[in-house]
Structures are given as C-alpha cells and as structure tokens.
Amino acid sequence: MDYLAQQLINGLTLGSIYGLIAIGYTMVYGIIGMINFAHGDVFMVGSFVSLICILLFGITGSTDIVIGIGILMIVAVIAMAISGVYGWTIERLAYRPLRGSFRLAPLITAIGVSIFLQNFVQETQGARVKPLQALFAGGFTLHEGTEFTVRITYMQILIVLLTIALMAGFSLLISRTSLGRAQRACEQDLKMTQLLGIDVDRTISMTFVIGAMLAAVAGLMYLLYYGVIDFFIGFSAGVKAFTAAVLGGIGSLPGAMIGGVLIGLIEVLFAAYFSSEYKDVAAFSMLIIVLIFMPQGLLGRPEIEKV
Amino acid sequence: MTKPLLTVKDLTMRFGGLVAVDKFSFEVQAGHITAIIGPNGAGKTTAFNCITGFYKPSGGSIALHHPSRGDFSLETMEDHKISRIAKVARTFQNIRLFGGMTVLENLMISQHNELMRASMFSIAGIFGLPSYRRAEKEAIEKSMAWLKRIGIADKADDAAAALPYGQQRKLEIVRALCTDPVLLCLDEPAAGLNPKESDDLGVFLREIRDKDHVGILLIEHDMSVVMEISDHIVVLDYGRKISDGTPALVRNDAAVIKAYLGVDE
C-alpha cells in the first residue's frame, strides 16, 4: 500500500510534465489539424536553455530554498521566452508556407524540423549527457511504514503546484480572453474567423508560442526532476506527450491534461510492478491500443468529415 | 452626387476556361439596399466572393469608399483586412456560426480586435485587469443590444447551434454587424425562411439601412423580399450584367423576363 502511494506520487509528477507538453500538441492539432512533431524538441530546447540559465545564475544544492525558487522562476521565464521565439520561428518558416498544401507536407517538415533541432543542439551543446546536481534535495515523509517510507520531495511539490498554476492560467486564457475566444473560433471555422476581421495567421502563431512556452516549463521540470538531459530527450518525452494527447482526445485541452497524468501513472506503475526497462513499451502500447479501440480518446469528439 | 460606397468596374473571374463573371460593373450607394439577382449559376456568389476577398478576381477593380477612412482597393487586400480596415462584412448561403460557442461569444468574436488591444495581448485578460474588464463590458453591452433587437437576448448563453434556424440566420447578420461595417454583404439571407420570417427579415434589413446607416448588398432568390426592400437591383445572367435599375424598371425589363422565363420562339 505504501509502495503504491509512493508510485502514485511519482506518476503524478511525471504526468504533470507530460500534460504540459501534450497541451502544445492538442492545441495545434485543434486549430490547423497537424501534428507538430517538432514540439518534443522545443521541449528539449527549453530544457537546455534552463540548464544554461541555472548554471549562469549559479544555483546549487546549498542555495537557500526561497531564493532558489525565486531564481528558478526567472529561469522559467527566460526559457519560456526563448522557446516561444523558437515556436514562432518554426511555424513561420516551416509550416505557414505549407498551409493549404496536401496534408502530409507539414507532417514531413515537422519531422525535418525535429531532426534539425536535435542536430543543432547536439552540435552546439555536445552529444554527451548534461548532469545537474540535485537542487532542494529535501522533502516530507508522509508515512513511515515498516518496510517502506512514503516521501514527497520539495521538487515534486514544486512541479505539481507549478503545473496546476500554469494549467489554471492557460484555461483562463482560453475561456476568458479574446485571444482564447479567437482560438476557439479558428478551431471551428478558420475562414469565417478571418472574414470577421481576425488575423488568423497571428492567432496561429500565438498558439505555437503558447504551446512552446508550456513545453519550456516542462523542460525545466524534467531537468530538475531527473537531473540529467541530452539532445535526444525530446523524442521519447514528445512521443509520450503525444500519446497523452491522443489518449485524452486530440483537440481537447482538458483531455490533454488528464491524458498526461494517466500516461505518467501508467509508465511509473508499469516500471514499479513489472519492469522498468520496458516502461516505454507500456506508454507506447497504450498509444496503439487507444488508436485501435478508442481513436477519439477520452474527451475527444468523434471525427466529422468536413464538406 | 456623392461618391458611391462601392464601385465595381469590369470585374472578371475565370476558373480555368470558364468565365464565371465577365466584365461586371455596378455601384452600391451609401444608405441603399442593392440586390444582385439572376438565375442559378449566373455568377452572383462568385462576384460576392471577389468583393469580400474570398476569391482574388482575374481582372477588374473593386473600390470601396469609406466615409471617414478613405478609399480602398478591395481586390488587393487580404481578407481579414477587408473586414477589419475597409469594414466590409459578409454572411454565407449556408450558416457558418461557431456552433459550439455561445450566442454571446459569437458576437464577441467580431469585436476581437478592439478587445485584443484593450487586453494588451491577453496579459491583462488573464489577470482580469480593469482596462480589459471595461472593454469587455462594453463589448458585451454592444452584443446584448443587438441581441435585444433581434429578440433573443434571453438566449445569450445558449450554444449557437441550439437556436432555431430563423434565429441562426439573424444571429449571423448581427455577428457581421458587430464588426461595425459600412457595407454588409448578405448571400441569400432569406434562404430557408418561412414567409413570416422573411417579412421580419425585410423589416430588420430596412431598419439597419435607415437607423444604422449601413449599406447593404444582397443576393436573393426570394423575389418578394427583393422587390419589397431593394432600392436598386442588378441582374446577372451567364456572368454578364443584363439589367440595372430600380425594382420597377427591372421587373419590366424584357431581357430580365427572357433570362428568367425564356421567350417563345
């Protein structure tokens, strides 16, 4: 029981990270109907920017926790800004010229952008894994069992709280602001939105920027949680987040959040009870199972053929 | 005489070898309801699509004279700018409301540009700062005023797709009006309406012309509506203009009768 509780805490933390990345997939799919396969690599870029900033600011394991968290917030803002620029540029250069082209075209450029980003980071940052010493190593002991002790680390609390805050802010953006309203309108009828005077290109750009920003925070969290990153982390995290988006119902925002948490839990529980070497298999089998038996996902709408 | 609101000159639209609209010229006067009529396939909707930026015409010019903003060449403008800057709004033959959004939200979308400015690119929007809240309040008041005029203020929070057909039609027109247009283009606004609803629509369109001073250009097959409300009628057949004038004049034009009914050999 204690063991299970511990795994649920770990799964929730990991799921928060996947959920934040999944939002970027689902939002872009909702509006322009493409899968942005470079999104995982934007997450990786965000992670590298975070690492560079943390080293520049000189936070170490012995930094006071309040000051440390303050600096981490600044790091998050910088990573969001730089990743946002990446997201904007990718959309502008690689996707917008192909809008209105056949459906496979943007998919292929997306894969191209993904390979480009991986190689770019590999070239400029080196291929070796980058370690970061553990920050705020402490935590709370929730339950002292005879064989097993349930703990929640400060880092896990930070990750989950930050995710909740970001998702709340993001939900407000979509439901309450005019930009969110325009995004929802674009999702339903791009052409009509344009004819009502809305600059659809800019709305789509903003969608990419917002998705990239959330992925950047996920990148920071991943770095803090695992303490080691390399240029290839975007691939597996990206595919898992994509799985999360599909599981939740691609195009649905609450679906992406729920799907993220579920994929995190599935991965952690599989690793805990079966085999940690095969944990990726669990997540990807999930993708196949969902696509075969429930292609519209948990909260997705059934596909309607557009006339 | 004052400058016309819209001056279309030699408008031509080709699709491959097919000439859908051929050297079509006409004018829309400010404060008038102008109707384009013609048999099926005459090129009415194509001409409409050129004016509202949906198509780029193969030739000719479309000039809009905005009373305070000056002159615009619509054939060279991007479509979102035709609505935002030149202030031309349109509706479609089929209903294209944002069905999953509420009635009120549909109208708020039309006011996106003002709200976007007020929200400082959404930053003020997320935190609900006073400047944005004020702008949003104004936008809601404006939307509600329109909803009251078409008598569905009590349905503001219903999904747009849940409205009866006739109300959806009116909501579409009102949504276009929320962009504050000087010219409103309506593609078959009375299609699918029953006689009572058609009459209501006629009254509403005249009210828009007289009270809100919006010029209206419409395509319509329902001749009772057209003859009743139009100040000026242009008749198209096979992409060419065959008649142009007041309803009384067009009704008795031999070319128009021939196009609609055919003539005995």
Side-chain angles (χ1 to χ4, degrees), chain B residues 124-153:
Chain B
I126 299 175
F127 297 107
L129 297 185
S131 65
Y132 179 70
R133 257 187 284 172
R134 206 176 315 118
E136 190 162 72
K137 198 164 153 253
E138 278 168 22
I140 292 174
E141 275 166 13
K142 180 171 151 190
S143 310
M144 288 309 288
W146 278 113
L147 290 180
K148 273 198 195 93
R149 279 177 66 174
I150 58 170
I152 56 169

PDB file of all heavy atoms in Angstrom, chain B residues 124-153:
ATOM      1  N   ALA B 124      -3.464  41.380 -19.788  1.00  0.00           N
ATOM      2  CA  ALA B 124      -4.470  41.967 -18.905  1.00  0.00           C
ATOM      3  C   ALA B 124      -5.697  41.070 -18.826  1.00  0.00           C
ATOM      4  O   ALA B 124      -6.415  41.064 -17.834  1.00  0.00           O
ATOM      5  CB  ALA B 124      -4.860  43.356 -19.409  1.00  0.00           C
ATOM      6  N   GLY B 125      -5.917  40.301 -19.887  1.00  0.00           N
ATOM      7  CA  GLY B 125      -7.093  39.437 -19.929  1.00  0.00           C
ATOM      8  C   GLY B 125      -7.037  38.323 -18.909  1.00  0.00           C
ATOM      9  O   GLY B 125      -8.005  38.034 -18.225  1.00  0.00           O
ATOM     10  N   ILE B 126      -5.859  37.681 -18.794  1.00  0.00           N
ATOM     11  CA  ILE B 126      -5.734  36.554 -17.869  1.00  0.00           C
ATOM     12  C   ILE B 126      -5.926  37.030 -16.439  1.00  0.00           C
ATOM     13  O   ILE B 126      -6.599  36.405 -15.632  1.00  0.00           O
ATOM     14  CB  ILE B 126      -4.346  35.890 -17.994  1.00  0.00           C
ATOM     15  CG1 ILE B 126      -4.147  35.360 -19.407  1.00  0.00           C
ATOM     16  CG2 ILE B 126      -4.207  34.748 -16.988  1.00  0.00           C
ATOM     17  CD1 ILE B 126      -2.772  34.797 -19.634  1.00  0.00           C
ATOM     18  N   PHE B 127      -5.326  38.187 -16.129  1.00  0.00           N
ATOM     19  CA  PHE B 127      -5.386  38.655 -14.745  1.00  0.00           C
ATOM     20  C   PHE B 127      -6.634  39.491 -14.469  1.00  0.00           C
ATOM     21  O   PHE B 127      -6.825  39.964 -13.349  1.00  0.00           O
ATOM     22  CB  PHE B 127      -4.120  39.448 -14.414  1.00  0.00           C
ATOM     23  CG  PHE B 127      -2.880  38.610 -14.499  1.00  0.00           C
ATOM     24  CD1 PHE B 127      -1.984  38.768 -15.535  1.00  0.00           C
ATOM     25  CD2 PHE B 127      -2.635  37.616 -13.560  1.00  0.00           C
ATOM     26  CE1 PHE B 127      -0.855  37.969 -15.624  1.00  0.00           C
ATOM     27  CE2 PHE B 127      -1.518  36.808 -13.651  1.00  0.00           C
ATOM     28  CZ  PHE B 127      -0.621  36.981 -14.682  1.00  0.00           C
ATOM     29  N   GLY B 128      -7.470  39.678 -15.510  1.00  0.00           N
ATOM     30  CA  GLY B 128      -8.710  40.426 -15.314  1.00  0.00           C
ATOM     31  C   GLY B 128      -8.479  41.865 -14.877  1.00  0.00           C
ATOM     32  O   GLY B 128      -9.146  42.367 -13.985  1.00  0.00           O
ATOM     33  N   LEU B 129      -7.505  42.542 -15.496  1.00  0.00           N
ATOM     34  CA  LEU B 129      -7.212  43.927 -15.117  1.00  0.00           C
ATOM     35  C   LEU B 129      -8.378  44.839 -15.527  1.00  0.00           C
ATOM     36  O   LEU B 129      -9.120  44.526 -16.442  1.00  0.00           O
ATOM     37  CB  LEU B 129      -5.923  44.399 -15.795  1.00  0.00           C
ATOM     38  CG  LEU B 129      -4.660  43.638 -15.402  1.00  0.00           C
ATOM     39  CD1 LEU B 129      -3.437  44.281 -16.044  1.00  0.00           C
ATOM     40  CD2 LEU B 129      -4.494  43.596 -13.889  1.00  0.00           C
ATOM     41  N   PRO B 130      -8.541  45.986 -14.821  1.00  0.00           N
ATOM     42  CA  PRO B 130      -9.711  46.846 -15.068  1.00  0.00           C
ATOM     43  C   PRO B 130      -9.845  47.294 -16.524  1.00  0.00           C
ATOM     44  O   PRO B 130     -10.950  47.324 -17.048  1.00  0.00           O
ATOM     45  CB  PRO B 130      -9.447  48.061 -14.167  1.00  0.00           C
ATOM     46  CG  PRO B 130      -8.457  47.618 -13.166  1.00  0.00           C
ATOM     47  CD  PRO B 130      -7.700  46.472 -13.741  1.00  0.00           C
ATOM     48  N   SER B 131      -8.734  47.618 -17.197  1.00  0.00           N
ATOM     49  CA  SER B 131      -8.844  48.129 -18.565  1.00  0.00           C
ATOM     50  C   SER B 131      -9.513  47.097 -19.464  1.00  0.00           C
ATOM     51  O   SER B 131     -10.378  47.412 -20.276  1.00  0.00           O
ATOM     52  CB  SER B 131      -7.456  48.478 -19.112  1.00  0.00           C
ATOM     53  OG  SER B 131      -6.682  47.293 -19.212  1.00  0.00           O
ATOM     54  N   TYR B 132      -9.134  45.826 -19.277  1.00  0.00           N
ATOM     55  CA  TYR B 132      -9.725  44.779 -20.099  1.00  0.00           C
ATOM     56  C   TYR B 132     -11.176  44.533 -19.705  1.00  0.00           C
ATOM     57  O   TYR B 132     -12.033  44.349 -20.544  1.00  0.00           O
ATOM     58  CB  TYR B 132      -8.926  43.489 -19.974  1.00  0.00           C
ATOM     59  CG  TYR B 132      -9.512  42.365 -20.794  1.00  0.00           C
ATOM     60  CD1 TYR B 132      -9.460  42.400 -22.183  1.00  0.00           C
ATOM     61  CD2 TYR B 132     -10.135  41.278 -20.188  1.00  0.00           C
ATOM     62  CE1 TYR B 132     -10.005  41.387 -22.944  1.00  0.00           C
ATOM     63  CE2 TYR B 132     -10.688  40.259 -20.945  1.00  0.00           C
ATOM     64  CZ  TYR B 132     -10.615  40.316 -22.326  1.00  0.00           C
ATOM     65  OH  TYR B 132     -11.158  39.309 -23.066  1.00  0.00           O
ATOM     66  N   ARG B 133     -11.410  44.568 -18.392  1.00  0.00           N
ATOM     67  CA  ARG B 133     -12.779  44.301 -17.944  1.00  0.00           C
ATOM     68  C   ARG B 133     -13.738  45.363 -18.472  1.00  0.00           C
ATOM     69  O   ARG B 133     -14.862  45.064 -18.845  1.00  0.00           O
ATOM     70  CB  ARG B 133     -12.840  44.236 -16.423  1.00  0.00           C
ATOM     71  CG  ARG B 133     -12.923  42.777 -15.957  1.00  0.00           C
ATOM     72  CD  ARG B 133     -13.156  42.675 -14.494  1.00  0.00           C
ATOM     73  NE  ARG B 133     -11.921  42.966 -13.775  1.00  0.00           N
ATOM     74  CZ  ARG B 133     -11.848  43.112 -12.458  1.00  0.00           C
ATOM     75  NH1 ARG B 133     -12.936  43.032 -11.728  1.00  0.00           N
ATOM     76  NH2 ARG B 133     -10.703  43.339 -11.865  1.00  0.00           N
ATOM     77  N   ARG B 134     -13.252  46.613 -18.533  1.00  0.00           N
ATOM     78  CA  ARG B 134     -14.101  47.680 -19.055  1.00  0.00           C
ATOM     79  C   ARG B 134     -14.390  47.432 -20.536  1.00  0.00           C
ATOM     80  O   ARG B 134     -15.534  47.496 -20.982  1.00  0.00           O
ATOM     81  CB  ARG B 134     -13.410  49.040 -18.867  1.00  0.00           C
ATOM     82  CG  ARG B 134     -14.381  50.194 -18.776  1.00  0.00           C
ATOM     83  CD  ARG B 134     -13.661  51.509 -18.492  1.00  0.00           C
ATOM     84  NE  ARG B 134     -12.648  51.413 -17.443  1.00  0.00           N
ATOM     85  CZ  ARG B 134     -11.337  51.643 -17.640  1.00  0.00           C
ATOM     86  NH1 ARG B 134     -10.885  51.980 -18.833  1.00  0.00           N
ATOM     87  NH2 ARG B 134     -10.484  51.551 -16.634  1.00  0.00           N
ATOM     88  N   ALA B 135     -13.339  47.113 -21.293  1.00  0.00           N
ATOM     89  CA  ALA B 135     -13.522  46.879 -22.728  1.00  0.00           C
ATOM     90  C   ALA B 135     -14.461  45.708 -22.959  1.00  0.00           C
ATOM     91  O   ALA B 135     -15.324  45.739 -23.830  1.00  0.00           O
ATOM     92  CB  ALA B 135     -12.169  46.617 -23.390  1.00  0.00           C
ATOM     93  N   GLU B 136     -14.289  44.667 -22.121  1.00  0.00           N
ATOM     94  CA  GLU B 136     -15.134  43.500 -22.313  1.00  0.00           C
ATOM     95  C   GLU B 136     -16.591  43.825 -21.971  1.00  0.00           C
ATOM     96  O   GLU B 136     -17.502  43.369 -22.642  1.00  0.00           O
ATOM     97  CB  GLU B 136     -14.633  42.329 -21.462  1.00  0.00           C
ATOM     98  CG  GLU B 136     -15.345  41.054 -21.823  1.00  0.00           C
ATOM     99  CD  GLU B 136     -14.616  39.821 -21.340  1.00  0.00           C
ATOM    100  OE1 GLU B 136     -14.622  39.569 -20.125  1.00  0.00           O
ATOM    101  OE2 GLU B 136     -14.047  39.120 -22.183  1.00  0.00           O
ATOM    102  N   LYS B 137     -16.756  44.663 -20.940  1.00  0.00           N
ATOM    103  CA  LYS B 137     -18.113  45.040 -20.557  1.00  0.00           C
ATOM    104  C   LYS B 137     -18.796  45.785 -21.706  1.00  0.00           C
ATOM    105  O   LYS B 137     -19.953  45.536 -22.031  1.00  0.00           O
ATOM    106  CB  LYS B 137     -18.059  45.922 -19.301  1.00  0.00           C
ATOM    107  CG  LYS B 137     -19.369  46.014 -18.578  1.00  0.00           C
ATOM    108  CD  LYS B 137     -19.192  46.553 -17.163  1.00  0.00           C
ATOM    109  CE  LYS B 137     -20.461  47.256 -16.702  1.00  0.00           C
ATOM    110  NZ  LYS B 137     -20.357  48.715 -16.659  1.00  0.00           N
ATOM    111  N   GLU B 138     -18.041  46.704 -22.325  1.00  0.00           N
ATOM    112  CA  GLU B 138     -18.608  47.443 -23.455  1.00  0.00           C
ATOM    113  C   GLU B 138     -18.987  46.506 -24.595  1.00  0.00           C
ATOM    114  O   GLU B 138     -20.047  46.651 -25.214  1.00  0.00           O
ATOM    115  CB  GLU B 138     -17.594  48.475 -23.971  1.00  0.00           C
ATOM    116  CG  GLU B 138     -17.600  49.746 -23.164  1.00  0.00           C
ATOM    117  CD  GLU B 138     -16.411  50.629 -23.507  1.00  0.00           C
ATOM    118  OE1 GLU B 138     -15.848  50.467 -24.605  1.00  0.00           O
ATOM    119  OE2 GLU B 138     -16.043  51.456 -22.664  1.00  0.00           O
ATOM    120  N   ALA B 139     -18.086  45.540 -24.863  1.00  0.00           N
ATOM    121  CA  ALA B 139     -18.355  44.597 -25.954  1.00  0.00           C
ATOM    122  C   ALA B 139     -19.604  43.778 -25.652  1.00  0.00           C
ATOM    123  O   ALA B 139     -20.419  43.524 -26.534  1.00  0.00           O
ATOM    124  CB  ALA B 139     -17.149  43.687 -26.170  1.00  0.00           C
ATOM    125  N   ILE B 140     -19.755  43.378 -24.380  1.00  0.00           N
ATOM    126  CA  ILE B 140     -20.936  42.595 -24.012  1.00  0.00           C
ATOM    127  C   ILE B 140     -22.195  43.447 -24.146  1.00  0.00           C
ATOM    128  O   ILE B 140     -23.214  42.995 -24.672  1.00  0.00           O
ATOM    129  CB  ILE B 140     -20.798  42.045 -22.566  1.00  0.00           C
ATOM    130  CG1 ILE B 140     -19.694  40.991 -22.528  1.00  0.00           C
ATOM    131  CG2 ILE B 140     -22.113  41.459 -22.072  1.00  0.00           C
ATOM    132  CD1 ILE B 140     -19.363  40.472 -21.151  1.00  0.00           C
ATOM    133  N   GLU B 141     -22.093  44.732 -23.725  1.00  0.00           N
ATOM    134  CA  GLU B 141     -23.265  45.604 -23.833  1.00  0.00           C
ATOM    135  C   GLU B 141     -23.691  45.785 -25.284  1.00  0.00           C
ATOM    136  O   GLU B 141     -24.873  45.730 -25.615  1.00  0.00           O
ATOM    137  CB  GLU B 141     -22.974  46.974 -23.201  1.00  0.00           C
ATOM    138  CG  GLU B 141     -23.214  46.967 -21.706  1.00  0.00           C
ATOM    139  CD  GLU B 141     -22.611  48.186 -21.020  1.00  0.00           C
ATOM    140  OE1 GLU B 141     -22.230  49.151 -21.723  1.00  0.00           O
ATOM    141  OE2 GLU B 141     -22.513  48.162 -19.780  1.00  0.00           O
ATOM    142  N   LYS B 142     -22.687  45.978 -26.143  1.00  0.00           N
ATOM    143  CA  LYS B 142     -22.994  46.154 -27.560  1.00  0.00           C
ATOM    144  C   LYS B 142     -23.656  44.890 -28.120  1.00  0.00           C
ATOM    145  O   LYS B 142     -24.667  44.966 -28.824  1.00  0.00           O
ATOM    146  CB  LYS B 142     -21.690  46.450 -28.311  1.00  0.00           C
ATOM    147  CG  LYS B 142     -21.850  46.657 -29.797  1.00  0.00           C
ATOM    148  CD  LYS B 142     -20.537  47.155 -30.381  1.00  0.00           C
ATOM    149  CE  LYS B 142     -20.367  46.728 -31.816  1.00  0.00           C
ATOM    150  NZ  LYS B 142     -19.026  46.997 -32.325  1.00  0.00           N
ATOM    151  N   SER B 143     -23.090  43.723 -27.753  1.00  0.00           N
ATOM    152  CA  SER B 143     -23.661  42.464 -28.233  1.00  0.00           C
ATOM    153  C   SER B 143     -25.091  42.288 -27.739  1.00  0.00           C
ATOM    154  O   SER B 143     -25.977  41.897 -28.496  1.00  0.00           O
ATOM    155  CB  SER B 143     -22.827  41.278 -27.743  1.00  0.00           C
ATOM    156  OG  SER B 143     -21.474  41.484 -28.005  1.00  0.00           O
ATOM    157  N   MET B 144     -25.294  42.604 -26.455  1.00  0.00           N
ATOM    158  CA  MET B 144     -26.622  42.396 -25.887  1.00  0.00           C
ATOM    159  C   MET B 144     -27.643  43.334 -26.536  1.00  0.00           C
ATOM    160  O   MET B 144     -28.796  42.957 -26.738  1.00  0.00           O
ATOM    161  CB  MET B 144     -26.600  42.611 -24.367  1.00  0.00           C
ATOM    162  CG  MET B 144     -25.890  41.516 -23.585  1.00  0.00           C
ATOM    163  SD  MET B 144     -26.437  39.846 -23.967  1.00  0.00           S
ATOM    164  CE  MET B 144     -28.049  39.843 -23.200  1.00  0.00           C
ATOM    165  N   ALA B 145     -27.195  44.558 -26.878  1.00  0.00           N
ATOM    166  CA  ALA B 145     -28.105  45.495 -27.531  1.00  0.00           C
ATOM    167  C   ALA B 145     -28.586  44.910 -28.860  1.00  0.00           C
ATOM    168  O   ALA B 145     -29.772  44.969 -29.189  1.00  0.00           O
ATOM    169  CB  ALA B 145     -27.399  46.832 -27.760  1.00  0.00           C
ATOM    170  N   TRP B 146     -27.652  44.293 -29.592  1.00  0.00           N
ATOM    171  CA  TRP B 146     -28.057  43.668 -30.871  1.00  0.00           C
ATOM    172  C   TRP B 146     -28.974  42.478 -30.628  1.00  0.00           C
ATOM    173  O   TRP B 146     -29.954  42.278 -31.340  1.00  0.00           O
ATOM    174  CB  TRP B 146     -26.824  43.204 -31.656  1.00  0.00           C
ATOM    175  CG  TRP B 146     -26.171  44.289 -32.432  1.00  0.00           C
ATOM    176  CD1 TRP B 146     -24.939  44.841 -32.221  1.00  0.00           C
ATOM    177  CD2 TRP B 146     -26.708  44.970 -33.587  1.00  0.00           C
ATOM    178  NE1 TRP B 146     -24.679  45.816 -33.151  1.00  0.00           N
ATOM    179  CE2 TRP B 146     -25.753  45.918 -33.995  1.00  0.00           C
ATOM    180  CE3 TRP B 146     -27.914  44.870 -34.282  1.00  0.00           C
ATOM    181  CZ2 TRP B 146     -25.946  46.752 -35.089  1.00  0.00           C
ATOM    182  CZ3 TRP B 146     -28.113  45.708 -35.380  1.00  0.00           C
ATOM    183  CH2 TRP B 146     -27.139  46.643 -35.774  1.00  0.00           C
ATOM    184  N   LEU B 147     -28.640  41.675 -29.628  1.00  0.00           N
ATOM    185  CA  LEU B 147     -29.476  40.502 -29.348  1.00  0.00           C
ATOM    186  C   LEU B 147     -30.897  40.933 -28.982  1.00  0.00           C
ATOM    187  O   LEU B 147     -31.872  40.296 -29.360  1.00  0.00           O
ATOM    188  CB  LEU B 147     -28.868  39.652 -28.232  1.00  0.00           C
ATOM    189  CG  LEU B 147     -27.574  38.908 -28.589  1.00  0.00           C
ATOM    190  CD1 LEU B 147     -27.068  38.113 -27.397  1.00  0.00           C
ATOM    191  CD2 LEU B 147     -27.801  37.986 -29.785  1.00  0.00           C
ATOM    192  N   LYS B 148     -31.006  42.056 -28.246  1.00  0.00           N
ATOM    193  CA  LYS B 148     -32.340  42.555 -27.905  1.00  0.00           C
ATOM    194  C   LYS B 148     -33.095  42.934 -29.172  1.00  0.00           C
ATOM    195  O   LYS B 148     -34.282  42.656 -29.301  1.00  0.00           O
ATOM    196  CB  LYS B 148     -32.220  43.779 -26.986  1.00  0.00           C
ATOM    197  CG  LYS B 148     -32.126  43.379 -25.529  1.00  0.00           C
ATOM    198  CD  LYS B 148     -32.444  44.556 -24.607  1.00  0.00           C
ATOM    199  CE  LYS B 148     -31.987  44.227 -23.199  1.00  0.00           C
ATOM    200  NZ  LYS B 148     -30.616  44.720 -22.933  1.00  0.00           N
ATOM    201  N   ARG B 149     -32.376  43.558 -30.114  1.00  0.00           N
ATOM    202  CA  ARG B 149     -33.061  44.000 -31.335  1.00  0.00           C
ATOM    203  C   ARG B 149     -33.602  42.834 -32.145  1.00  0.00           C
ATOM    204  O   ARG B 149     -34.603  42.975 -32.831  1.00  0.00           O
ATOM    205  CB  ARG B 149     -32.123  44.844 -32.193  1.00  0.00           C
ATOM    206  CG  ARG B 149     -32.057  46.266 -31.696  1.00  0.00           C
ATOM    207  CD  ARG B 149     -31.088  47.108 -32.472  1.00  0.00           C
ATOM    208  NE  ARG B 149     -31.478  47.317 -33.862  1.00  0.00           N
ATOM    209  CZ  ARG B 149     -30.817  48.124 -34.678  1.00  0.00           C
ATOM    210  NH1 ARG B 149     -29.758  48.779 -34.246  1.00  0.00           N
ATOM    211  NH2 ARG B 149     -31.202  48.274 -35.920  1.00  0.00           N
ATOM    212  N   ILE B 150     -32.888  41.686 -32.102  1.00  0.00           N
ATOM    213  CA  ILE B 150     -33.445  40.545 -32.838  1.00  0.00           C
ATOM    214  C   ILE B 150     -34.239  39.614 -31.910  1.00  0.00           C
ATOM    215  O   ILE B 150     -34.653  38.531 -32.320  1.00  0.00           O
ATOM    216  CB  ILE B 150     -32.371  39.753 -33.608  1.00  0.00           C
ATOM    217  CG1 ILE B 150     -31.269  39.231 -32.681  1.00  0.00           C
ATOM    218  CG2 ILE B 150     -31.763  40.603 -34.712  1.00  0.00           C
ATOM    219  CD1 ILE B 150     -30.337  38.260 -33.375  1.00  0.00           C
ATOM    220  N   GLY B 151     -34.416  40.068 -30.656  1.00  0.00           N
ATOM    221  CA  GLY B 151     -35.333  39.368 -29.760  1.00  0.00           C
ATOM    222  C   GLY B 151     -34.842  38.054 -29.191  1.00  0.00           C
ATOM    223  O   GLY B 151     -35.639  37.189 -28.865  1.00  0.00           O
ATOM    224  N   ILE B 152     -33.513  37.890 -29.068  1.00  0.00           N
ATOM    225  CA  ILE B 152     -33.044  36.640 -28.462  1.00  0.00           C
ATOM    226  C   ILE B 152     -32.072  36.906 -27.308  1.00  0.00           C
ATOM    227  O   ILE B 152     -31.183  36.108 -27.030  1.00  0.00           O
ATOM    228  CB  ILE B 152     -32.395  35.675 -29.488  1.00  0.00           C
ATOM    229  CG1 ILE B 152     -31.246  36.358 -30.235  1.00  0.00           C
ATOM    230  CG2 ILE B 152     -33.420  35.143 -30.461  1.00  0.00           C
ATOM    231  CD1 ILE B 152     -30.415  35.381 -31.057  1.00  0.00           C
ATOM    232  N   ALA B 153     -32.257  38.058 -26.643  1.00  0.00           N
ATOM    233  CA  ALA B 153     -31.359  38.410 -25.544  1.00  0.00           C
ATOM    234  C   ALA B 153     -31.358  37.349 -24.448  1.00  0.00           C
ATOM    235  O   ALA B 153     -30.348  37.108 -23.784  1.00  0.00           O
ATOM    236  CB  ALA B 153     -31.755  39.766 -24.965  1.00  0.00           C
TER     237      ALA B 153
END
